[in-house]
Amino acid sequence: MADGSTGIGGNAGRGRQAGPRCVALVGPFASGKTSLLEAILERTGAIPKAGRVADGTSLGDAAPEARAHRMGVELNVADCEFLGERFTILDCPGSVEFLFEGEAVLPGVDMAVVVCEADQKKIPALQLTLKLLETRGVPHVLFLNKIDKADQSLRETLELMQTASTVPMVLRQIPIWKEGIAIGTIDLALERAHVFREHAESEIVPIPDADRAQEVEARYQMLEKLADYDDHLMEELLSDIEPPRDEIFEDLRRETREGLICPVFIGSAERGNGVTRLLKAIRHDAPSVAATADRLGLNAGPGEAVVQVMKTLHTQHGGKMSIARVLAGKLAEGATLFDPNGAGDRISGLYRIQGKETTKRGEAIAGETVGLAKVEVAHTGDTLTTAKTGTPRLATLTPPEPVMGTAVVPTDRKDEVKLNAALTRIAEEDPSIRISHDAETGETLVEGQGEMHLRVAFERLTAKFGVTVEFRPISVPYRETIRGKTSVRGRHKKQSGGHGQFGDVVLEIAPLPRGSGFVFTEAITGGVVPRNYIPAVEEGVADCLKAGALGFPVVDLAVRLVDGSYHTVDSSDMAFKTAAQIGMREGLPNCQPILLEPILRVEIACPSDATARINQIVTGRRGQLLGFDARIDWAGWDTVQALIPQAEMQHLIVELRSATAGVGTFRARFEHLAELSGHLAAKVLERQKAARAA
């Protein structure tokens, strides 16, 4: 059998079967993850022929939205068998806008394959992926894809990629070049050459004489890096003793599992080159599910089944489906699973998932990845157990802050209830979508990770739930305040038979420093306004502050009740409340009202070579730069601090991503209110006037 019939390094150090394992394919957008999935499934016989993403024939990226945009937008799941062992391959989206989709699966996988290509523009995106893996402690290898299209040396490529990784990258293979094209590889551990064959396993050939010296040098560099974590191997190298092959493979296996190194393999997923070698490395080096459970700190009791929920789906006809990895025990249909709070629900069915196809299956053992039907207590990131006491979450999963949003209303007003239910399900499927309701404006807000992220969410809203919506910019929460002071009388008198209405107040209105809010006091003497009516006066004043002279909520002012009069029969709480409202409506326009706009403190994370462009973007949006520093623990990245008006934040992320090869992001928090005047204020007031007249 080409590439060798036994696993890499035989079974050295394996000891026992690892059980079904789970491997995630991660990496930058358009690096070939789905193509690699297709190649793996074809090579293992799971599908008869690899599909093509460009042709819309792949098993992965089969969702309508993925097909339409020709990009991964959600997790794809597929099973296969290789050399007698079972694997679940999870193909994760590469776009930074869908990065959380992949992050949610990492706690439950045994290993990740980082798919990348020799493209300097994608190094920051590669760094995002590697940072996630390193933070989560997930063992990983790197598959350098599209080697057939590489236009620079492997050494240069490795140096470029190393800047994205905090652990050493160790070459496992070097290419065999012919007329500038990679026609095969040399395995540095096996010291064996392979020549590529189109969509077939490589052919073993003698190491070409022209590549022998390079192979010896590259192999020694590999061994040197391994020896950094193995004193015995270091002694052998210093003594010019050739280490046994089993020792080399055991070091590769151990150091990969411990996250000390990141082995690098090369190939071309679209041509099926290098796939068998990668599969054998995964088979040999990927930890068992028991080791993964240990890494997560799982301590399951006897007979207890524990699962990690990786993804939530809502199917049109089958209801809720949870994709979960069994980390311990056995799971059968009808079993009850409990969440960390002890709430339980029965599994109505177990399913095998192969792309978009689901088929009913029987009992699931530790290591298998399955679909759980209609387990309502299951949410993405949860750890569920058959133990009634529940179990703590094995990993914290925090969705990223939204960076783009819109207000939505149903095209058909009758769909209001349907829209709310559908949005709840959309957010459950993708927790990085945030749904909220603004009580002040009455707007339903949908926020996410970027333009494409929101577009896909709304396409699903229509396709899966039959709801179409109209989009509106999110209202900016403008405020108004006053510069001047005044004293005003508010008098309400009405007689319409029987008891009348009478209330009379004198109010002093004055500005307060920014951020003070609203302060109400009284200085009534002689009982001219009975004390039991004073709360009604304050209530009337507060009601008028909801919309001042300019039409916006009024802040930072003091109102003092100083005088008034009452009628023993006709006065009431309502009369004094109305009198206060009359006084405020007359008084506020005489206090030099001014418009205030919210200013946000914005922290922008970007590659250092884009910092100058980011500064220009900030100042172009009326922003004030506060400075920038190197991003902590992120080599080659900066953090830019700025103050930007909230009115200028719309589509900021689009500009940032354009300036940073798609990886820039930001966090924003309310900082303060600032005066807005001139033509900008005039435009705001004109829009507000039109809205009130509509």
Side-chain angles (χ1 to χ4, degrees):
M1 176 179 176
D3 284 357
S5 58
T6 61
I8 295 179
N11 285 319
R14 300 209 38 166
R16 60 185 173 86
Q17 289 289 307
R21 279 172 288 176
C22 188
V23 177
L25 304 182
V26 297
F29 168 68
S31 291
K33 294 178 295 297
T34 303
S35 296
L36 181 58
L37 173 65
E38 296 296 311
I40 288 173
L41 296 178
E42 180 185 50
R43 189 60 47 85
T44 58
I47 57 176
K49 183 180 179 180
R52 283 173 49 85
V53 175
D55 298 337
T57 57
S58 56
L59 178 139
D61 288 351
E65 300 80 22
R67 291 272 198 261
H69 302 295
R70 293 191 176 184
M71 63 181 292
V73 298
E74 64 181 356
L75 178 69
N76 291 295
V77 183
D79 289 339
C80 63
E81 288 193 16
F82 181 67
L83 296 180
E85 296 192 36
R86 288 184 289 155
F87 296 87
T88 297
I89 311 296
L90 306 178
D91 176 20
C92 304
S95 167
V96 66
E97 297 187 27
F98 299 92
L99 198 60
F100 187 73
E101 186 86 2
E103 184 177 358
V105 313
L106 294 183
V109 303
D110 303 316
M111 174 178 276
V113 175
V114 183
V115 185
C116 193
E117 59 182 303
D119 184 347
Q120 186 171 1
K121 294 179 181 178
K122 292 186 177 181
I123 294 303
L126 174 63
Q127 192 171 2
L128 289 178
T129 299
L130 292 173
K131 195 74 172 177
L132 271 178
L133 297 172
E134 292 164 4
T135 301
R136 294 281 181 186
V138 179
H140 53 280
V141 302
L142 189 143
F143 182 73
L144 181 59
N145 193 23
K146 306 180 185 180
I147 191 66
D148 53 322
K149 300 176 183 177
D151 57 3
Q152 61 184 10
S153 74
L154 186 59
R155 179 170 296 181
E156 291 173 332
T157 300
L158 189 66
E159 290 175 356
L160 189 64
M161 295 189 302
Q162 185 62 67
T163 62
S165 175
T166 61
V167 300
M169 291 191 169
V170 178
L171 276 180
R172 289 289 307 270
Q173 300 165 299
I174 59 172
I176 300 172
W177 298 100
K178 183 177 181 180
E179 298 177 357
I181 299 174
I183 63 167
T185 62
I186 300 174
D187 190 293
L188 299 178
L190 283 172
E191 293 190 284
R192 185 181 294 166
H194 303 84
V195 173
F196 295 146
R197 295 190 296 177
E198 193 85 1
H199 296 289
E201 295 182 14
S202 302
E203 178 185 354
I204 299 174
V205 298
I207 296 177
D209 292 338
D211 296 301
R212 176 65 69 177
Q214 184 184 3
E215 184 273 334
V216 171
E217 179 187 2
R219 185 172 192 271
Y220 188 78
Q221 290 175 347
M222 178 190 75
L223 295 177
E224 276 189 316
K225 289 185 178 179
L226 296 179
D228 287 340
Y229 309 99
D230 184 341
D231 293 340
H232 182 259
L233 178 58
M234 179 65 76
E235 291 175 6
E236 289 177 323
L237 295 182
L238 293 174
S239 303
D240 289 329
I241 298 173
E242 177 65 24
R245 183 174 291 176
D246 281 355
E247 180 183 351
I248 295 172
F249 280 114
E250 183 56 30
D251 271 359
L252 285 166
R253 172 180 174 271
R254 178 181 60 81
E255 293 175 21
T256 300
R257 291 186 177 191
E258 293 179 6
L260 301 174
I261 63 170
C262 174
V264 178
F265 297 85
I266 59 179
S268 170
E270 201 165 61
R271 295 179 179 273
N273 300 148
V275 174
T276 302
R277 179 58 43 199
L278 176 65
L279 281 167
K280 289 183 177 179
I282 294 172
R283 179 177 179 267
H284 182 262
D285 296 339
S288 65
V289 64
T292 297
D294 289 342
R295 186 188 85 222
L296 295 169
L298 174 61
N299 184 22
E304 178 185 358
V306 180
V307 303
Q308 181 70 20
V309 181
M310 299 173 164
K311 172 72 178 173
T312 303
L313 298 169
H314 286 279
T315 61
Q316 286 180 302
H317 305 295
K320 183 173 179 178
M321 175 79 75
S322 304
I323 300 173
R325 175 99 189 277
V326 183
L327 295 176
K330 294 181 180 180
L331 203 60
E333 181 177 336
T336 299
L337 288 172
F338 297 88
D339 70 8
N341 299 316
D345 202 4
R346 181 178 173 274
I347 303 170
S348 66
L350 287 174
Y351 289 83
R352 177 176 181 261
I353 300 173
Q354 195 77 346
K356 300 301 288 184
E357 299 297 322
T358 58
T359 53
K360 203 81 178 285
R361 55 158 295 161
E363 180 181 77
I365 63 172
E368 292 187 300
T369 302
V370 296
L372 309 176
K374 300 180 181 178
V375 181
E376 296 303 324
V377 299
H379 300 94
T380 302
D382 276 353
T383 306
L384 306 178
T385 173
T386 52
K388 292 183 179 180
T389 54
T391 189
R393 283 174 177 253
L394 292 176
T396 301
L397 197 63
T398 305
E401 292 285 329
V403 294
M404 190 174 186
T406 183
V408 299
V409 293
T411 304
D412 186 339
R413 288 290 180 181
K414 293 184 293 184
D415 284 344
E416 190 75 47
V417 175
K418 190 176 179 181
L419 171 64
N420 292 333
L423 288 176
T424 299
R425 291 185 174 184
I426 290 286
E428 189 175 12
E429 288 190 344
D430 182 356
S432 62
I433 292 279
R434 179 188 292 176
I435 311 298
S436 60
H437 183 76
D438 190 320
E440 181 179 316
T441 63
E443 294 173 335
T444 297
L445 309 182
V446 182
E447 299 171 284
Q449 305 307 310
E451 192 172 29
M452 183 59 72
H453 191 218
L454 291 177
R455 184 183 301 174
V456 168
F458 292 128
E459 287 172 356
R460 287 177 178 159
L461 190 66
T462 300
K464 293 181 69 172
F465 304 106
V467 181
T468 57
V469 293
E470 297 174 1
F471 309 107
R472 299 173 184 174
I474 295 176
S475 298
V476 177
Y478 291 104
R479 297 290 183 262
E480 62 179 270
T481 191
I482 56 175
R483 283 179 174 159
K485 59 176 64 176
T486 191
S487 178
V488 63
R489 178 178 291 275
R491 185 179 178 89
H492 175 59
K493 182 178 181 181
K494 188 175 182 181
Q495 193 72 41
S496 57
H499 287 300
Q501 299 179 37
F502 183 84
D504 177 34
V505 296
V506 177
L507 304 172
E508 291 181 350
I509 308 172
L512 289 176
R514 194 76 66 246
S516 300
F518 162 54
V519 177
F520 177 83
T521 57
E522 54 87 12
I524 295 300
T525 57
V528 290
V529 176
R531 306 210 67 81
N532 58 302
Y533 294 141
I534 292 177
V537 175
E538 181 177 1
E539 185 179 348
V541 169
D543 277 352
C544 281
L545 299 185
K546 294 176 182 177
L550 304 180
F552 296 97
V554 188
V555 297
D556 302 335
L557 79 166
V559 178
R560 191 180 189 203
L561 172 63
V562 296
D563 201 359
S565 61
Y566 74 102
H567 190 279
T568 54
V569 175
D570 293 342
S571 288
S572 65
D573 284 341
M574 182 57 67
F576 271 97
K577 178 179 177 180
T578 304
Q581 291 171 334
I582 293 170
M584 292 297 292
R585 282 195 290 268
E586 292 180 1
L588 285 175
N590 300 323
C591 293
Q592 303 174 45
I594 56 171
L595 189 65
L596 300 176
E597 68 171 341
I599 306 297
L600 307 183
R601 176 177 284 270
V602 184
E603 181 180 281
I604 302 170
C606 63
S608 300
D609 60 5
T611 301
R613 294 194 295 277
I614 298 305
N615 291 344
Q616 292 173 351
I617 290 171
V618 169
T619 55
R621 289 174 172 261
R622 296 194 290 125
Q624 176 189 350
L625 288 166
L626 302 178
F628 71 92
D629 291 300
R631 190 179 185 187
I632 299 174
D633 295 329
W634 284 75
W637 283 64
D638 287 337
T639 300
V640 177
Q641 301 281 352
L643 297 177
I644 304 178
Q646 186 172 337
E648 301 288 342
M649 293 295 291
Q650 189 174 19
H651 298 131
L652 171 63
I653 192 63
V654 177
E655 275 196 272
L656 294 184
R657 296 263 165 81
S658 177
T660 59
V663 297
T665 191
F666 69 83
R667 293 188 300 172
R669 293 288 183 274
F670 173 78
E671 176 72 12
H672 63 265
L673 291 169
E675 290 186 18
L676 183 66
S677 58
H679 72 282
L680 292 174
K683 285 183 178 180
V684 173
L685 295 176
E686 186 179 336
R687 289 196 300 267
Q688 179 70 0
K689 183 178 179 180
R692 294 171 73 179

Short mmCIF file of all heavy atoms in Angstrom, two decimals, residues 110-111 133-141 166-168 226 228-230 250-263 285-288 291 295:
data_model
loop_
_atom_site.label_atom_id
_atom_site.label_comp_id
_atom_site.label_asym_id
_atom_site.label_seq_id
_atom_site.Cartn_x
_atom_site.Cartn_y
_atom_site.Cartn_z
N ASP A 110 -10.48 16.26 19.96
CA ASP A 110 -9.20 15.69 20.41
C ASP A 110 -8.03 16.43 19.79
O ASP A 110 -6.95 16.53 20.39
CB ASP A 110 -9.12 14.21 20.02
CG ASP A 110 -10.27 13.40 20.59
OD1 ASP A 110 -10.60 13.60 21.77
OD2 ASP A 110 -10.86 12.60 19.85
N MET A 111 -8.21 16.90 18.58
CA MET A 111 -7.13 17.56 17.85
C MET A 111 -7.73 18.50 16.81
O MET A 111 -8.87 18.30 16.37
CB MET A 111 -6.22 16.53 17.17
CG MET A 111 -5.14 17.11 16.27
SD MET A 111 -4.07 15.85 15.52
CE MET A 111 -2.89 15.64 16.86
N LEU A 133 -6.61 28.04 19.68
CA LEU A 133 -6.17 26.68 19.99
C LEU A 133 -5.22 26.67 21.18
O LEU A 133 -5.33 25.81 22.07
CB LEU A 133 -5.50 26.05 18.78
CG LEU A 133 -6.39 25.86 17.54
CD1 LEU A 133 -5.56 25.40 16.35
CD2 LEU A 133 -7.50 24.85 17.82
N GLU A 134 -4.31 27.61 21.20
CA GLU A 134 -3.34 27.67 22.30
C GLU A 134 -4.03 28.01 23.61
O GLU A 134 -3.72 27.44 24.66
CB GLU A 134 -2.25 28.68 21.96
CG GLU A 134 -1.36 28.24 20.81
CD GLU A 134 -0.54 29.37 20.21
OE1 GLU A 134 -0.60 30.50 20.75
OE2 GLU A 134 0.16 29.15 19.20
N THR A 135 -4.99 28.94 23.56
CA THR A 135 -5.72 29.32 24.77
C THR A 135 -6.54 28.15 25.31
O THR A 135 -6.62 27.94 26.53
CB THR A 135 -6.65 30.51 24.47
OG1 THR A 135 -5.88 31.61 24.01
CG2 THR A 135 -7.42 30.93 25.73
N ARG A 136 -7.13 27.38 24.40
CA ARG A 136 -7.95 26.24 24.80
C ARG A 136 -7.13 25.00 25.10
O ARG A 136 -7.66 24.01 25.61
CB ARG A 136 -8.96 25.91 23.69
CG ARG A 136 -10.01 26.97 23.45
CD ARG A 136 -11.10 26.91 24.49
NE ARG A 136 -12.14 27.92 24.27
CZ ARG A 136 -13.13 28.13 25.11
NH1 ARG A 136 -13.24 27.42 26.22
NH2 ARG A 136 -14.04 29.06 24.86
N GLY A 137 -5.84 25.03 24.78
CA GLY A 137 -4.99 23.87 25.02
C GLY A 137 -5.28 22.69 24.11
O GLY A 137 -5.11 21.53 24.51
N VAL A 138 -5.74 22.98 22.87
CA VAL A 138 -6.09 21.92 21.93
C VAL A 138 -4.86 21.52 21.11
O VAL A 138 -4.27 22.37 20.44
CB VAL A 138 -7.21 22.38 20.98
CG1 VAL A 138 -7.57 21.27 19.99
CG2 VAL A 138 -8.44 22.80 21.77
N PRO A 139 -4.45 20.24 21.15
CA PRO A 139 -3.34 19.81 20.29
C PRO A 139 -3.68 20.07 18.83
O PRO A 139 -4.82 19.90 18.41
CB PRO A 139 -3.24 18.30 20.57
CG PRO A 139 -3.92 18.10 21.89
CD PRO A 139 -5.00 19.14 21.95
N HIS A 140 -2.66 20.49 18.05
CA HIS A 140 -2.95 20.81 16.67
C HIS A 140 -1.74 20.59 15.77
O HIS A 140 -0.59 20.66 16.21
CB HIS A 140 -3.45 22.25 16.52
CG HIS A 140 -2.55 23.28 17.15
ND1 HIS A 140 -2.55 23.54 18.51
CD2 HIS A 140 -1.62 24.12 16.62
CE1 HIS A 140 -1.67 24.49 18.79
NE2 HIS A 140 -1.09 24.86 17.65
N VAL A 141 -2.04 20.30 14.51
CA VAL A 141 -1.03 20.23 13.46
C VAL A 141 -1.45 21.20 12.38
O VAL A 141 -2.60 21.65 12.33
CB VAL A 141 -0.90 18.80 12.88
CG1 VAL A 141 -0.54 17.81 13.98
CG2 VAL A 141 -2.19 18.37 12.17
N THR A 166 2.92 30.77 18.94
CA THR A 166 3.81 30.91 20.11
C THR A 166 4.56 29.62 20.41
O THR A 166 5.43 29.61 21.26
CB THR A 166 3.00 31.33 21.36
OG1 THR A 166 2.04 30.32 21.65
CG2 THR A 166 2.28 32.64 21.14
N VAL A 167 4.18 28.53 19.73
CA VAL A 167 4.93 27.27 19.88
C VAL A 167 5.67 26.99 18.58
O VAL A 167 5.26 27.44 17.51
CB VAL A 167 3.99 26.09 20.23
CG1 VAL A 167 3.27 26.36 21.54
CG2 VAL A 167 2.99 25.83 19.11
N PRO A 168 6.79 26.26 18.65
CA PRO A 168 7.57 26.02 17.44
C PRO A 168 6.80 25.22 16.41
O PRO A 168 6.12 24.24 16.74
CB PRO A 168 8.78 25.22 17.96
CG PRO A 168 8.83 25.47 19.42
CD PRO A 168 7.41 25.68 19.85
N LEU A 226 12.67 18.78 18.51
CA LEU A 226 12.13 17.75 19.40
C LEU A 226 13.00 17.60 20.63
O LEU A 226 12.51 17.38 21.75
CB LEU A 226 12.02 16.41 18.67
CG LEU A 226 11.04 16.34 17.49
CD1 LEU A 226 11.08 14.94 16.87
CD2 LEU A 226 9.63 16.70 17.91
N ASP A 228 14.57 19.76 22.23
CA ASP A 228 14.38 20.83 23.22
C ASP A 228 13.50 20.37 24.37
O ASP A 228 13.52 20.96 25.46
CB ASP A 228 13.74 22.05 22.55
CG ASP A 228 14.71 22.80 21.65
OD1 ASP A 228 15.94 22.62 21.82
OD2 ASP A 228 14.25 23.56 20.78
N TYR A 229 12.71 19.31 24.16
CA TYR A 229 11.81 18.80 25.19
C TYR A 229 12.13 17.35 25.56
O TYR A 229 11.32 16.68 26.20
CB TYR A 229 10.35 18.91 24.68
CG TYR A 229 10.00 20.28 24.17
CD1 TYR A 229 10.01 20.56 22.80
CD2 TYR A 229 9.71 21.32 25.06
CE1 TYR A 229 9.72 21.83 22.33
CE2 TYR A 229 9.41 22.59 24.59
CZ TYR A 229 9.43 22.85 23.22
OH TYR A 229 9.15 24.10 22.75
N ASP A 230 13.30 16.86 25.15
CA ASP A 230 13.69 15.48 25.43
C ASP A 230 15.20 15.44 25.61
O ASP A 230 15.96 15.46 24.64
CB ASP A 230 13.26 14.56 24.28
CG ASP A 230 13.55 13.08 24.57
OD1 ASP A 230 14.38 12.79 25.46
OD2 ASP A 230 12.96 12.23 23.90
N GLU A 250 7.55 8.66 18.98
CA GLU A 250 6.99 8.84 20.32
C GLU A 250 7.16 10.28 20.78
O GLU A 250 6.27 10.86 21.40
CB GLU A 250 7.64 7.88 21.31
CG GLU A 250 7.08 7.95 22.72
CD GLU A 250 5.58 7.74 22.77
OE1 GLU A 250 5.03 7.01 21.92
OE2 GLU A 250 4.93 8.31 23.68
N ASP A 251 8.31 10.90 20.46
CA ASP A 251 8.52 12.31 20.80
C ASP A 251 7.54 13.20 20.04
O ASP A 251 6.96 14.13 20.61
CB ASP A 251 9.95 12.72 20.47
CG ASP A 251 10.91 12.48 21.63
OD1 ASP A 251 10.44 12.01 22.68
OD2 ASP A 251 12.11 12.75 21.49
N LEU A 252 7.37 12.92 18.75
CA LEU A 252 6.42 13.70 17.96
C LEU A 252 5.02 13.60 18.54
O LEU A 252 4.30 14.61 18.67
CB LEU A 252 6.42 13.22 16.50
CG LEU A 252 7.62 13.63 15.64
CD1 LEU A 252 7.68 12.81 14.36
CD2 LEU A 252 7.53 15.13 15.30
N ARG A 253 4.65 12.40 18.90
CA ARG A 253 3.32 12.16 19.45
C ARG A 253 3.13 12.89 20.78
O ARG A 253 2.16 13.61 20.99
CB ARG A 253 3.12 10.66 19.64
CG ARG A 253 1.87 10.23 20.39
CD ARG A 253 1.84 8.70 20.46
NE ARG A 253 0.76 8.21 21.27
CZ ARG A 253 0.83 8.01 22.58
NH1 ARG A 253 1.96 8.28 23.21
NH2 ARG A 253 -0.21 7.55 23.24
N ARG A 254 4.08 12.73 21.68
CA ARG A 254 3.96 13.32 23.02
C ARG A 254 3.99 14.85 22.96
O ARG A 254 3.16 15.52 23.57
CB ARG A 254 5.10 12.81 23.91
CG ARG A 254 5.10 13.42 25.33
CD ARG A 254 6.26 12.91 26.15
NE ARG A 254 7.54 13.24 25.54
CZ ARG A 254 8.14 14.44 25.66
NH1 ARG A 254 7.55 15.41 26.35
NH2 ARG A 254 9.30 14.66 25.09
N GLU A 255 4.92 15.40 22.20
CA GLU A 255 5.07 16.84 22.17
C GLU A 255 3.92 17.52 21.44
O GLU A 255 3.54 18.66 21.76
CB GLU A 255 6.43 17.21 21.55
CG GLU A 255 7.59 16.77 22.44
CD GLU A 255 8.96 17.00 21.82
OE1 GLU A 255 9.07 17.83 20.90
OE2 GLU A 255 9.93 16.34 22.26
N THR A 256 3.34 16.82 20.47
CA THR A 256 2.15 17.35 19.80
C THR A 256 0.97 17.37 20.77
O THR A 256 0.24 18.37 20.89
CB THR A 256 1.79 16.51 18.57
OG1 THR A 256 2.88 16.53 17.65
CG2 THR A 256 0.54 17.05 17.88
N ARG A 257 0.77 16.26 21.46
CA ARG A 257 -0.36 16.17 22.40
C ARG A 257 -0.24 17.17 23.54
O ARG A 257 -1.25 17.68 24.03
CB ARG A 257 -0.46 14.75 22.96
CG ARG A 257 -0.88 13.72 21.93
CD ARG A 257 -1.09 12.36 22.55
NE ARG A 257 -1.57 11.39 21.57
CZ ARG A 257 -2.03 10.19 21.88
NH1 ARG A 257 -2.04 9.80 23.14
NH2 ARG A 257 -2.46 9.38 20.93
N GLU A 258 0.97 17.45 23.95
CA GLU A 258 1.17 18.39 25.06
C GLU A 258 1.20 19.84 24.60
O GLU A 258 1.34 20.75 25.42
CB GLU A 258 2.47 18.04 25.80
CG GLU A 258 2.40 16.70 26.54
CD GLU A 258 3.71 16.36 27.24
OE1 GLU A 258 4.62 17.22 27.25
OE2 GLU A 258 3.81 15.25 27.79
N GLY A 259 1.05 20.05 23.30
CA GLY A 259 1.03 21.41 22.78
C GLY A 259 2.37 22.09 22.78
O GLY A 259 2.47 23.32 22.73
N LEU A 260 3.45 21.31 22.80
CA LEU A 260 4.79 21.87 22.81
C LEU A 260 5.27 22.23 21.41
O LEU A 260 6.13 23.10 21.25
CB LEU A 260 5.78 20.88 23.45
CG LEU A 260 5.46 20.46 24.89
CD1 LEU A 260 6.41 19.37 25.35
CD2 LEU A 260 5.55 21.68 25.82
N ILE A 261 4.74 21.55 20.41
CA ILE A 261 5.10 21.81 19.02
C ILE A 261 3.85 21.79 18.15
O ILE A 261 2.80 21.28 18.57
CB ILE A 261 6.10 20.76 18.47
CG1 ILE A 261 5.47 19.36 18.49
CG2 ILE A 261 7.42 20.81 19.23
CD1 ILE A 261 6.29 18.31 17.75
N CYS A 262 3.99 22.35 16.95
CA CYS A 262 2.93 22.26 15.94
C CYS A 262 3.55 21.66 14.68
O CYS A 262 4.22 22.36 13.92
CB CYS A 262 2.36 23.64 15.64
SG CYS A 262 1.15 23.65 14.28
N PRO A 263 3.38 20.35 14.45
CA PRO A 263 3.92 19.72 13.25
C PRO A 263 3.28 20.29 11.99
O PRO A 263 2.09 20.63 11.98
CB PRO A 263 3.56 18.24 13.43
CG PRO A 263 3.33 18.08 14.89
CD PRO A 263 2.73 19.38 15.34
N ASP A 285 -1.20 10.52 16.30
CA ASP A 285 -0.90 11.58 17.27
C ASP A 285 -2.12 12.14 18.00
O ASP A 285 -1.96 12.74 19.06
CB ASP A 285 -0.18 12.73 16.57
CG ASP A 285 1.18 12.32 16.01
OD1 ASP A 285 1.72 11.31 16.49
OD2 ASP A 285 1.69 12.99 15.09
N ALA A 286 -3.30 11.99 17.44
CA ALA A 286 -4.48 12.56 18.11
C ALA A 286 -4.75 11.82 19.42
O ALA A 286 -4.75 10.59 19.46
CB ALA A 286 -5.71 12.46 17.20
N PRO A 287 -4.98 12.54 20.51
CA PRO A 287 -5.26 11.90 21.80
C PRO A 287 -6.57 11.11 21.75
O PRO A 287 -7.41 11.32 20.87
CB PRO A 287 -5.38 13.07 22.77
CG PRO A 287 -4.73 14.23 22.09
CD PRO A 287 -4.94 14.01 20.62
N SER A 288 -6.76 10.24 22.70
CA SER A 288 -8.02 9.51 22.83
C SER A 288 -9.06 10.40 23.48
O SER A 288 -8.74 11.46 24.06
CB SER A 288 -7.81 8.27 23.71
OG SER A 288 -7.48 8.67 25.03
N ALA A 291 -8.21 10.98 27.04
CA ALA A 291 -7.21 12.01 27.28
C ALA A 291 -7.83 13.40 27.15
O ALA A 291 -7.49 14.33 27.90
CB ALA A 291 -6.06 11.85 26.29
N ARG A 295 -8.04 16.37 29.85
CA ARG A 295 -7.61 17.74 29.57
C ARG A 295 -8.67 18.75 30.02
O ARG A 295 -8.35 19.84 30.50
CB ARG A 295 -7.38 17.90 28.06
CG ARG A 295 -6.79 19.24 27.65
CD ARG A 295 -6.77 19.39 26.14
NE ARG A 295 -8.03 19.87 25.63
CZ ARG A 295 -8.64 19.44 24.54
NH1 ARG A 295 -8.10 18.47 23.82
NH2 ARG A 295 -9.79 19.95 24.15
#
